């Protein structure tokens, strides 16, 4: 068990999730191989880094706040490739429509080590569940990193 | 601090939680010693692997979706035994009755290493809180791993 | 990458969060340097251990149940100092007023190693979001670690 390599791969996954939720699309792109194959649930499937990043950039403006937290890493390394299973909990707040998506999934990933270090070569998840609800009238957003001060 | 052993124990816990939430009861059974002592909150107490597994198998059909995620491992190893503290967040969706349980707990576990590797010998948790609520009318399950297509 | 030191720092953070949510204020105090600088979101800023601990002790009685779970540690060690980024999810239940706060934040911490081992020297977070809602009528607290049996 090469603990240092396993930790490098965990750090890669944390960078991927942090740059996703902070909408840092250039950093996000660097966590993926150019030929990455990404499948999120049953509806979203992408071939290639440009398509994944393009989709995220387009569909996640500041009015959509996301939370993607991955837990329980089970990682196996074999030379310059590795596989990993993670337990995702996610939440998406569509603030303009007062909708909230919540869900959980098991991710299975492939990782590859190249000139730019470890990157995600394949990522897919199967949901245990996904639900959508309207936020009740009493729900108030107190703070958002992407809030803009309305003009006076 | 034997980091490789600590990680082995973490992997055991992740297998336990993954097989629980995926309802893989044979895999779940293998994470427990035959004489395991399990106490979940104030209401559920079991002696022996067969009773724990039997209870879970009976009471968690596909219509009950569970999420058990454990965080913040604090693990101490002493030869072939070890102890661990974890911070659980859990959610139970009783889809047929549109009920949701949410809660958090601190787990304290004992682990034992034998012929089958590390297993959970004793597990118990004390809740910080547990709450139940009816899911509002606007809440819709979009996906469930255990959903069956209704006959046409 | 010194994995044993990184783990020590993680353990420190878990102790900090566990003693916070269990309201163990003396244990909580020991995770902080005497001159700690703590900034929680935009509203709360403290200089010095006594002020942080005093504020928490005052404002978090048993009727206020908190959950602070930190994920995705990205830690860099440099001798007797270290920095860390974490992804927090938190929930605060103000049971007497039936209010719930939920949110997520990225923490950036500084750690320092002294006579008492690693301690938190600086901690601050920026929220991705924070929301408040009234708990619906159907929401019932089934268990609380701090519940007192009402006199008969």
């Amino acid at each position: 068990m090469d603990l240092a390599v396993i930790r490098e791969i965990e750090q890669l996954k944390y960078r991927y999730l942090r740059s996703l939720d902070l909408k840092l699309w250039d950093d996000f792109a660097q966590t993926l191989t150019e030929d990455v194959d990404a499948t999120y649930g049953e509806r979203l499937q992408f071939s290639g880094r440009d398509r994944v990043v393009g989709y995220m950039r387009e569909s996640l403006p500041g009015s959509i706040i996301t939370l993607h937290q991955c837990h329980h890493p089970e990682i196996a390394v074999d030379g310059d490739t590795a596989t990993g299973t993670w337990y995702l909990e996610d939440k998406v707040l569509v603030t303009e429509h007062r909708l909230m998506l919540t869900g959980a999934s098991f991710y299975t990933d492939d990782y590859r080590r190249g000139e730019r270090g470890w990157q995600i070569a394949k990522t897919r998840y199967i949901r245990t569940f996904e639900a959508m609800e309207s936020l009740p009238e009493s729900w108030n957003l107190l703070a958002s990193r992407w809030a803009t001060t309305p003009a006076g």
Side-chain angles (χ1 to χ4, degrees), chain A residues 31-92:
Chain A
T31 64
L32 307 172
T33 62
E34 211 180 324
D35 63 346
V36 65
D37 173 355
T39 305
Y40 304 108
E42 295 192 359
R43 292 182 303 245
L44 295 175
Q45 196 160 355
F46 304 99
S47 289
R49 180 201 289 154
D50 291 350
R51 290 201 182 157
V52 181
V53 179
Y55 175 82
M56 298 297 177
R57 200 189 289 268
E58 287 268 305
S59 51
L60 297 177
S63 60
I64 298 184
I65 301 168
T66 61
L67 177 147
H68 293 88
Q69 293 181 331
C70 271
H71 311 298
H72 303 190
E74 298 178 82
I75 290 168
V77 181
D78 181 13
D80 290 331
T81 62
T83 56
T85 294
W86 296 84
Y87 196 172
L88 169 73
E89 186 175 24
D90 59 343
K91 189 180 277 192
V92 177

Side-chain angles (χ1 to χ4, degrees), chain A residues 66-135:
Chain A
T66 61
L67 177 147
H68 293 88
Q69 293 181 331
C70 271
H71 311 298
H72 303 190
E74 298 178 82
I75 290 168
V77 181
D78 181 13
D80 290 331
T81 62
T83 56
T85 294
W86 296 84
Y87 196 172
L88 169 73
E89 186 175 24
D90 59 343
K91 189 180 277 192
V92 177
L93 295 168
V94 186
T95 57
E96 286 174 350
H97 300 285
R98 297 186 62 83
L99 289 172
M100 181 167 68
L101 278 149
T102 50
S105 303
F106 282 95
Y107 260 108
T108 48
D109 292 341
D110 291 353
Y111 309 104
R112 213 160 64 209
R113 181 161 46 185
E115 278 175 27
R116 290 160 177 274
W118 287 97
Q119 290 180 310
I120 298 169
K122 191 167 169 178
T123 185
R124 53 193 58 218
Y125 63 62
I126 302 181
R127 291 210 163 276
T128 53
F129 78 96
E130 185 178 20
M132 181 153 75
E133 67 197 285
S134 294
L135 291 163

Side-chain angles (χ1 to χ4, degrees), chain A residues 24-35:
Chain A
L24 302 171
W25 304 121
D26 295 341
D27 293 348
F28 180 72
Q30 290 176 34
T31 64
L32 307 172
T33 62
E34 211 180 324
D35 63 346

